[in-house]
Amino acid sequence: MRIVVPAGGIGGARFLRGLKAVLEAGADPAGEEPAITVIGNTGDDITLFGLRICPDLDTVMYTLGGGINEEQGWGRADESFTLKEELAAYGMQPTWFGLGDRDAATHIVRAQMMAAGYPLSAVTEALCDRWRPGVRLLPMTDDRVETHVVVDDGDGGRRAIHFQEWWIRHRAALPAREIIGVGADRSSPAPGVLEAIAEADVVLLPPSNPVVSIGSVLGVPGIREALERSTVVGVSPIIGDAPVRGMADACLKAIGVETGAQAVAEHYGPRLLDGWLVDKADEGAAVEGVEVRSMPLYMSDPESTAAIARAALDLAMELKGRTR
Ligand code: GDP
Ligand code: CA
């Protein structure tokens, strides 16, 4: 069984942990070696202090590799912040980014390899040699794509700031007038991405941010079209009228999509989605051309997370079996 999962950070990583547990428990009737290929969002990537930081790739790698700060959901366990304090003492900007000492080692390796000419996909593979996440982790693209957010500058004009500045420094509280994937239109999928989609039995969309995580992956020319040819089942990151964690509502508002499980499925559309899992609270959600099912969608512990992954996989296999 070959499964492709486009993913952001926390929501993606937690879902993947559940999916791995399901496959390890022997859900594959064909008895083949199960293979998960993750297409990681790189729109959140940022260069700071000469380091290339890829928050979503690292969240997936650390979560599946056993290095994540569990309570926080991102960053390394047993982290310290001496480097950050020392940089601040020199007056180095920005000071709002939570750069941990252990985490910084990852970014130093990445920056060094990239300076030597390795593409991000090769660097990610090298980093995964240490973490052994048990999935094939591919960046969506080797090209530089960065999400920027257009906000009011306070003088009647507008300016674009990096997504991380908007998200972390401003806690997404500045109204986003527009969200732009800078470089996306000129990017191409990283090596192996389109092949993995073409060979996949099913594609599962974890409950990742529909705009700045899944939306960024879909923004790489060629990826959406390839996914539209696959059987795709998604899990809603929205329960009731709010995201389960984080500020995805601020992102949805920026693109004119209501914060709701049904609205997100309508935004993805029936060309992309074959099936959609919503929480019990959203039982009545319906989208023409999409098979909607409801179940508890809180990934609160390993069991509930695995149950969600299992339901997504089962629905995908069921829909794949139907003539379309
Ligand atoms: P990020 O890159 O770290 O922001 O992570 P993702 O984009 O992968 O996931 C963020 C999304 O995960 C948010 O919109 C949350 O609403 C969603 N999310 C987090 N925890 C849960 C959960 O337990 N259940 C569901 N359904 N969604 C969740
Ligand atoms: Ca992210």
Side-chain angles (χ1 to χ4, degrees):
M1 166 111 67
R2 281 172 290 203
I3 305 170
V4 163
V5 181
I10 302 181
R14 294 206 166 149
F15 175 84
L16 282 160
R17 192 149 60 177
L19 183 62
K20 272 178 68 184
V22 168
L23 294 178
E24 277 154 20
D28 187 357
E32 283 171 49
E33 193 64 22
I36 302 172
T37 300
V38 178
I39 304 175
N41 171 41
T42 61
D44 292 13
D45 295 6
I46 187 166
T47 299
L48 295 175
F49 315 115
L51 306 176
R52 188 69 182 156
I53 302 175
C54 303
D56 286 1
L57 292 177
D58 289 350
T59 295
V60 170
M61 184 173 78
Y62 295 154
T63 301
L64 301 184
I68 200 78
N69 177 325
E70 286 291 344
E71 299 73 55
Q72 202 168 251
W74 55 271
R76 290 291 313 278
D78 303 319
E79 188 58 290
S80 55
F81 291 89
T82 307
L83 176 62
K84 182 177 192 276
E85 287 160 24
E86 290 293 314
L87 289 167
Y90 282 110
M92 290 282 279
Q93 293 289 336
T95 52
W96 46 260
F97 195 85
L99 181 66
D101 298 330
R102 289 183 191 279
D103 196 26
T106 304
H107 312 320
I108 290 171
V109 174
R110 181 183 287 122
Q112 188 156 320
M113 284 189 73
M114 290 182 85
Y118 288 95
L120 182 60
S121 50
V123 176
T124 305
E125 195 180 336
L127 294 170
C128 285
D129 268 348
R130 172 183 173 192
W131 290 103
R132 311 221 161 256
V135 298
R136 184 160 171 241
L137 178 59
L138 303 177
M140 64 190 197
T141 179
D142 275 337
D143 300 317
R144 190 159 164 160
V145 174
E146 279 183 9
T147 304
H148 282 66
V149 180
V150 177
V151 297
D152 297 337
D153 66 5
D155 289 321
R158 287 186 174 175
R159 70 195 169 101
I161 57 177
H162 193 286
F163 168 74
Q164 297 294 356
E165 183 174 356
W166 181 68
W167 191 254
I168 299 172
R169 184 182 186 188
H170 300 293
R171 307 289 309 153
L174 291 179
R177 303 304 178 191
E178 210 180 330
I179 295 180
I180 304 168
V182 178
D185 50 347
R186 282 167 282 116
S187 69
S188 44
V193 166
L194 295 182
E195 293 80 353
I197 297 171
E199 290 168 5
D201 293 295
V202 295
V203 174
L204 304 179
L205 298 186
S208 284
N209 188 308
V211 185
V212 296
S213 293
I214 303 295
S216 299
V217 177
L218 296 175
V220 177
I223 294 188
R224 176 186 265 275
E225 294 71 15
L227 293 175
E228 284 175 355
R229 289 190 285 273
S230 318
T231 303
V232 180
V233 168
V235 178
S236 176
I238 308 295
I239 296 181
D241 60 1
V244 179
R245 281 175 74 115
M247 303 151 293
D249 47 335
C251 303
L252 287 165
K253 192 163 182 226
I255 62 162
V257 174
E258 208 184 297
T259 300
Q262 178 173 313
V264 171
E266 281 165 350
H267 166 65
Y268 284 141
R271 284 178 69 98
L272 177 71
L273 281 185
D274 298 279
W276 184 239
L277 292 184
V278 303
D279 187 77
K280 280 284 174 206
D282 301 303
E283 192 128 42
V287 182
E288 189 160 350
V290 180
E291 183 73 28
V292 181
R293 304 265 169 92
S294 69
M295 69 174 298
L297 283 191
Y298 288 100
M299 300 186 287
S300 26
D301 53 52
E303 291 71 33
S304 53
T305 308
I308 294 166
R310 164 114 231 183
L313 186 56
D314 286 349
L315 178 55
M317 292 309 286
E318 180 188 328
L319 295 175
K320 188 183 167 62
R322 288 190 196 170
T323 39
R324 300 205 292 141

